[in-house]
Amino acid sequence: MSKEISLGGFLRSQGISRRAFLGFCSTLASAMTIPSGMIEVMAKTLEQTRRPAVIWLSFQECTGCTESLLRSHAPSIESLIFDFISLDYHHTLQAASGSAAERAREETMHRHAGEYLVLVDGSVPKIRHYSTIAGVSNLDMLVETAAGAAAILAVGTCSAYGGLPKANPNPTQALSIGEIIKDKPIVNIPGCPPIPLAITGVIAYYLTMGSLPPLDHLGRPLAFFGENIHDRCYRRPFYDRGLFAESFDDEGARKGWCLYKLGCKAPETYNACAHVKWNQGTSFPIQSGHGCIGCSEPDFWDRGGIYTSTPQGRFDSELSLTLAASLGVVVGAGAAVLARRKKHRVEQELADEASAPESQTST
Amino acid sequence: MNTATLVPEFPTFAEIVQGLGAQIKQLRALAPRPTLPESVRVQRAIATLIAETNADEAVWLESCIRCGQCTTACHYFQATGNTKYAPLRKMNLYRRIYQRELGPFRWWYRLITPPVTLQDLEELQELVFDSCTECGRCTMVCPMGIDIASLVHHQRSALVAAELVPPELAAVQTEQKHQGTAFGASPEALHRMVETIRTQTGIEIPLDKPKAEVMVLTSAVDVVGNARGLWATARVMNHLGVDWTICSDAFESANFGLLSGDMGLWKKQVDLIVAAAKRIGAKTLVIAECGHAYPALRWNPTLKGEELPFEMMYISEYLGRQAEAGRLRLRPLQGRVTYHDPCKTGRRGGAFAEPRAVLKALQADFVEMPANKEFNWCCGGGAGIFLLERATPLRDAAFRIKMQQVDQTGAETVLLSCASCRLNFEAGRQKNQWNKRIESLVELVAEHLIDEGTAAAEGAA
Amino acid sequence: MTLLDYARGPVIQAALVIMIAGIIWRLLGVLVLTRAADLSRPRDAFGNFKGYRTVFSRAWPSSEFLTATRYQTVMAYVFHLATLVVVIGIVPHIEFIQGLTGASWPGLPNGVGVACGIIALASLVALIMRRLTKPAVYCSTWGDYFAWFVVAMPLVTGLMAFAHLGPRYETLLALHILAAALFFAWFPFGKLMHAFWFVFSRAQSGIAYARKGVQI
């Protein structure tokens, strides 16, 4: 666990040339808007970096986030950087089990107090007994582990915003990491799963710059979540021209027209899918013919149907508008009927008044 | 020459206007003073509007979008440029009362709008009396087609209830209500005038025949002032050889109930006429040259027109039909002439074709004004406004628009068929030393009749 | 809940409920009032029937008033038509309407929508400038300015959302929906109701005058 090997050495031992590594650094630098002059510095720093200690906590999750990082077809620099970090605790991946595994976590917490990174995937149930590891509730384990962390990376939408476990009716009362830990810097790297480059990019940035990258109002690194997918989408020209797929098997769908009408959430979703793409830049959901489901946004599961388009109302229009119309009929007709009664009453009064003085004058 | 002997030596209309002017000045002093407490007056005004508001009025009040186009149509706004005379302003108080009392959101409006005060109603007086002749020209331009004139009329009713009718109108209204006369035009005055005409011209006016085919109305202006008007009517009727009469218990066209907005008086006057016409078995009721009498009788919404045993016609309408039937034998009219449609018989009455048929029979060199028929500019003196001394500057300003319209035709004579318009035209002519002649349609026809019968009567007398 | 979710969920729902209930309330509250009978004999038997033509004929000023009303009439037409094209022509609006009613139709390219939106806004500005510079003619109330505001805001925010000017797109979209919600919610209460009243108002006057043989 204490192999003092540098990242550069590690990568070269894995057959990655310095040229390829520099290429990775410049990609990262441009993605994270680091000035180009910094690429050399970044590469140098990264190459000489010693393995950082990392504790990976998995709570209410599906392991998809880990899979995203590991299940690349060919090993990528991203996955190799992941290999390089000293992943001292990851209960899905580590060989140790039982009390030995827990001991590894405690040891890291102790030895690297104040320095280690905590990566979390999965949300935390407020009702403690719904999810426990080694008899410790997720909530307690998070609070305990976070206490000595330098920073926390909430990987995936579940840990960043509660995700699927938090979806209505949220039976476990799932919470995001940010809702529990208030006193540590947290970077949210949402997505279901997140783009691997976003995870390693943040780690690389942290290792190079010694600080966390600039974040948006939802705690996401601007470098990967600063842009709207719709703005970057290669199908955008079809949107502008008013050409839309109306169903998944029509002419428009075959021609690759915009999926807006099929519920694509790209206009309201911030992620790097449209330009970084997935599987080493092979494709992304819209390219493969399905609209974006908005997985990197808070509560995406509860924001109307996947196939409900962005501008459509999110409410039961039929019932509420029928009730509104009925209300209008009853109150409107009622108001008029009351007004008619009032008018007849006033007419009668005026008639009485008019006849009264006349009878007086005639008598 | 034949015509010279036919035209009687009556006072000219110019003299009558001057005489009437003096009489009108006295009206102010005769005006009744308010008798009711302030709160009762306000409450009665509101009650009157509630009683007179139906869905039509409500829709019109709801419809205004303050697009301001009505201002281009209103002679008072155009003449003065004063924002308060904009027609759309003339609905504001009515709308407020409607919104507070009958509107669908009245509970809300009662919270956010101030209650109507006597001062509001006092301020309303100028808007619905002095500066609106209810001519309806604004309706012609309104994109919503709002009938502002009818809304103004309801507000006049409200002001009657609030004892806020301008003094001159109130005086005549009170006279008609209590004495049954206007300007002292009593049955005795009618008898005297009939006698005068008979002795001076030999024209017989069959008064109070028990049965007659045609019942003819006259008006106060003719009975107490303009003998020529009554003479001309009689001469034309005699020329036509119809079985006609004037009923001395129901001869008055002028209805100061309608003019002031006193609906009770309106009905009372109308009932008198209808009863008389039924009694004598009239088939036709001819309304004298008194513009507002047309809506008071012919277009009276409460009179079941289909069930009445007689037809009602304005005199210009009657003459037009006779002319079309070729029963009027007329000498050609000399000189260029234009015709002014009185608001009440024209735009708000629909009698456009008939007076023009008379002009055709007169072989007149007739030129329409630039704005004519339903777009005709009001002379500014209708709906009782001629009587209001206070409204004189407004009236004078508005009349200039009319003068321009006439001047553009190049006509030397303006022909009209409404005593109210005629008084205003004549007063305006005198004030502006305008080089036009103002003529009444009936009088002009009477003067141009080719009639052996009259010559014979002349000889007998 | 984000602003967008709030806007296109409960806010727009509440606004539509207010609009529908309010419109029916106000229409029935007026139209169910008493009706006065005009018993006078019409000048011709078809007089009343002919009156309905005023509903259509009043769509354009008569030649008598054309010069005086030209500017306003043309601007108002430009505004109403351009707005209509925007409201029913662009795809996001069609999607919104489809979500409510199920009805759908082909949309226009964005460029056309933006152009019409700009034309609509420009004509609206031209109309308010006239109102502001000729106070004597218009006798404006606060309701006139407020109505202008609630009509202008959806156009401004819609164009901003289209152009991605200012805040993030979903925020602009949310603001646009909120502006539309304000329009919907205000609709039954102010002069925007002329969209309904004009039919009744014109017809009434048309009938009243046609009865007397006058075509207005």
Side-chain angles (χ1 to χ4, degrees), chain B residues 205-217:
Chain B
I205 297 175
L207 207 56
D208 290 324
K209 278 163 69 173
K211 290 285 167 197
E213 291 275 312
V214 181
M215 173 170 159
V216 177
L217 298 179

Side-chain angles (χ1 to χ4, degrees), chain A residues 100-168:
Chain A
E102 291 309 306
R103 224 176 10 254
R105 180 171 65 87
E106 282 154 19
E107 214 177 281
T108 304
M109 283 165 61
H110 182 70
R111 193 186 306 157
H112 298 285
E115 290 169 11
Y116 61 90
L117 288 177
V118 175
L119 272 68
V120 188
D121 67 335
S123 64
V124 177
K126 196 175 174 185
I127 304 173
R128 282 184 166 80
H129 65 262
Y130 275 153
S131 180
T132 61
I133 297 165
V136 181
S137 74
N138 291 171
L139 188 61
D140 294 336
M141 187 180 281
L142 174 68
V143 171
E144 186 190 318
T145 314
I152 301 172
L153 272 57
V155 175
T157 305
C158 296
S159 62
Y161 308 126
L164 211 54
K166 199 188 175 186
N168 249 341

